[in-house]
Amino acid sequence: MDKKTRKVGTVSRGIRCPIIRQGDDLSEIVTVSVLEAAESEGFEIRDRDVIAITESIVARAQGNYASVQNIADDVRAKLGGGTVGVIFPILSRNRFAICLRGIAMGAKKIVLMLSYPSDEVGNELVSMDQIDESGVNPYSDVLSLERYRELFGYNKHEFTGVDYVEYYGELIRSCGTEVEIIFANQPKAILNYADHIINCDIHTRARTKRILLAGGAKVVCSLDDILNAPVNNSGCNEKYGLLGSNKSTEDTVKLFPRECRPLVLDIQKKLLERTGKHVEVMVYGDGAFKDPKGKIWELADPVVSPAFTDGLIGTPNELKLKYLADNDYKDLSGEELREAISASIRAKSGSLVGNMAAQGTTPRQLTDLIGSLCDLTSGSGDKGTPIVFVQGYFDNYTN
């Protein structure tokens, strides 16, 4: 192999930056942080490198926060302040509990309908083995809290140690609000208890709302309808409302960032001006992957990337090297095999959909793939690297 051939493919680096506060010039901070990291660590910035910024620091720079009282006021205004059905929430102290407190403060009674055996992102209330042993049909059976306890008792989450049924019930009662808890997987089940409903599912929300309205519900709001405009000068998200929000303090939520395409375009422009290189830039939240042990699907944000530059539009267009090696060029080896595979890669053009040599390559949006890589790189704790710099992602075997 030619000594000049690069020996390293894709590299993902977490980039440290200052703690971001409301009003900070995030575009300048990100640009300078990447340039300083490149100088410190001795790597070059190249065309088509990717700079990814976690949605958290974007929302913080925007000051996109709201209080539980803001949530309560919006819920009361939109759903009347009486009995409200709250269906299909995810089981999360960080993601949903504080939103639930605001919702409860805006109603006299909450009928909380939990999906079972797990929530939308895979957090289990009970295991499928327990469901099988109980003889319950989760696709059709509606369980009262009493029946649920009789069948399954108390179940603490494997990782958090929380019994979310008890936790959510107590949280609602602590707001001075009456609560009734049921378990069902068909949206229409809530209509026997309430006709003013907040459906809290994330990726199936449009279908759920359609089913409820067709079934006779008077008012249906998805989480993206709550705080989709400012309430008493609060933050908001016009497109996603409460979706993608996180707990900030005991009384406030950080919302998903508002329009941030101008930010990614500005960072791209600054890097071009200062390095002469055309990089791609994206904002990312949760990745999109499932944990095989905990069965938790990571994507609790409405999208992986709310904003990105145009070079990140689309899906990978790759050939599977092992397919070429095992089939088309099975009789070749060494330098002859390398040259044959390289020629196939250089000759590829247009979409590879349907091409047998492309089977097994990941059929996902580039932003979902890169966002997942970045989420795993940055982590969600104390790494202090809310910027991720990815090199070589668009390389192939010939580079």
Side-chain angles (χ1 to χ4, degrees), residues 204-330:
T204 54
R205 61 188 183 275
R207 175 178 180 266
T208 299
K209 181 185 284 190
R210 172 175 55 79
I211 290 171
L212 291 171
L213 289 171
K218 290 183 180 177
V219 179
V220 182
C221 291
S222 303
L223 284 182
D224 55 0
D225 296 316
I226 308 298
L227 283 182
N228 57 2
V231 175
N232 297 324
N233 298 313
S234 73
C236 70
N237 191 299
E238 294 85 352
K239 188 173 184 180
Y240 297 119
L242 281 177
L243 289 176
S245 63
N246 295 86
K247 179 179 179 179
S248 176
T249 70
E250 293 302 320
D251 297 300
T252 59
V253 292
K254 178 199 65 60
L255 301 169
F256 211 48
R258 300 171 79 172
E259 177 56 49
C260 43
R261 181 163 163 82
L263 171 68
V264 299
L265 293 174
D266 193 41
I267 294 170
Q268 184 181 58
K269 179 182 176 183
K270 285 181 176 177
L271 263 294
L272 181 61
E273 290 171 349
R274 299 183 194 186
T275 67
K277 302 300 181 182
H278 184 89
V279 301
E280 304 297 343
V281 186
M282 64 182 283
V283 176
Y284 70 96
D286 277 347
F289 46 84
K290 187 171 184 176
D291 172 53
K293 177 169 175 54
K295 304 177 183 64
I296 299 170
W297 183 41
E298 176 68 6
L299 189 54
D301 284 327
V303 289
V304 171
S305 178
F308 46 88
T309 51
D310 291 348
L312 297 176
I313 296 171
T315 59
N317 202 43
E318 302 172 346
L319 295 170
K320 198 78 168 178
L321 296 191
K322 64 185 180 184
Y323 181 89
L324 293 173
D326 292 345
N327 292 273
D328 296 32
Y329 308 121
K330 62 183 179 182

Side-chain angles (χ1 to χ4, degrees), residues 376-394:
L376 290 167
T377 301
S378 62
S380 58
D382 58 7
K383 291 183 184 297
T385 56
I387 304 165
V388 177
F389 188 68
V390 181
Q391 292 193 293
Y393 192 84
F394 295 101

Side-chain angles (χ1 to χ4, degrees), residues 75-297:
V75 167
R76 189 178 296 108
K78 289 174 176 173
L79 291 111
T83 297
V84 176
V86 175
I87 75 171
F88 300 154
I90 63 172
L91 308 175
S92 172
R93 292 167 296 176
N94 172 47
R95 286 286 192 173
F96 188 72
I98 193 164
C99 295
L100 180 59
R101 188 150 72 89
I103 292 168
M105 289 165 57
K108 290 182 179 178
K109 178 180 179 179
I110 296 293
V111 181
L112 182 65
M113 188 173 95
L114 301 172
S115 58
Y116 72 100
S118 63
D119 70 6
E120 180 180 0
V121 296
N123 291 298
E124 286 188 345
L125 286 176
V126 295
S127 69
M128 281 304 301
D129 289 335
Q130 288 174 290
I131 292 291
D132 292 341
E133 291 169 8
S134 72
V136 167
N137 183 346
Y139 299 102
S140 58
D141 292 351
V142 179
L143 307 179
S144 66
L145 177 59
E146 292 71 25
R147 181 60 174 155
Y148 170 86
R149 291 297 189 202
E150 179 185 327
L151 289 169
F152 306 116
Y154 287 78
N155 293 275
K156 292 185 176 181
H157 189 280
E158 178 181 6
F159 294 137
T160 67
V162 173
D163 181 305
Y164 281 95
V165 177
E166 182 176 49
Y167 175 56
Y168 280 180
E170 290 180 352
L171 187 154
I172 294 168
R173 282 187 288 272
S174 73
C175 298
T177 304
E178 186 183 349
V179 60
E180 181 175 0
I181 300 176
I182 62 172
F183 304 81
N185 291 307
Q186 296 299 329
K188 284 185 179 181
I190 193 64
L191 296 175
N192 292 321
Y193 302 83
D195 55 15
H196 288 63
I197 300 157
I198 300 176
N199 65 295
C200 304
D201 45 337
I202 305 163
H203 304 288
T204 54
R205 61 188 183 275
R207 175 178 180 266
T208 299
K209 181 185 284 190
R210 172 175 55 79
I211 290 171
L212 291 171
L213 289 171
K218 290 183 180 177
V219 179
V220 182
C221 291
S222 303
L223 284 182
D224 55 0
D225 296 316
I226 308 298
L227 283 182
N228 57 2
V231 175
N232 297 324
N233 298 313
S234 73
C236 70
N237 191 299
E238 294 85 352
K239 188 173 184 180
Y240 297 119
L242 281 177
L243 289 176
S245 63
N246 295 86
K247 179 179 179 179
S248 176
T249 70
E250 293 302 320
D251 297 300
T252 59
V253 292
K254 178 199 65 60
L255 301 169
F256 211 48
R258 300 171 79 172
E259 177 56 49
C260 43
R261 181 163 163 82
L263 171 68
V264 299
L265 293 174
D266 193 41
I267 294 170
Q268 184 181 58
K269 179 182 176 183
K270 285 181 176 177
L271 263 294
L272 181 61
E273 290 171 349
R274 299 183 194 186
T275 67
K277 302 300 181 182
H278 184 89
V279 301
E280 304 297 343
V281 186
M282 64 182 283
V283 176
Y284 70 96
D286 277 347
F289 46 84
K290 187 171 184 176
D291 172 53
K293 177 169 175 54
K295 304 177 183 64
I296 299 170
W297 183 41

Side-chain angles (χ1 to χ4, degrees), residues 33-52:
S33 296
V34 170
L35 292 174
E36 289 181 347
E39 182 179 1
S40 171
E41 298 300 314
F43 60 85
E44 285 186 25
I45 295 172
R46 301 192 291 257
D47 287 328
R48 297 218 78 189
D49 287 347
V50 179
I51 297 172

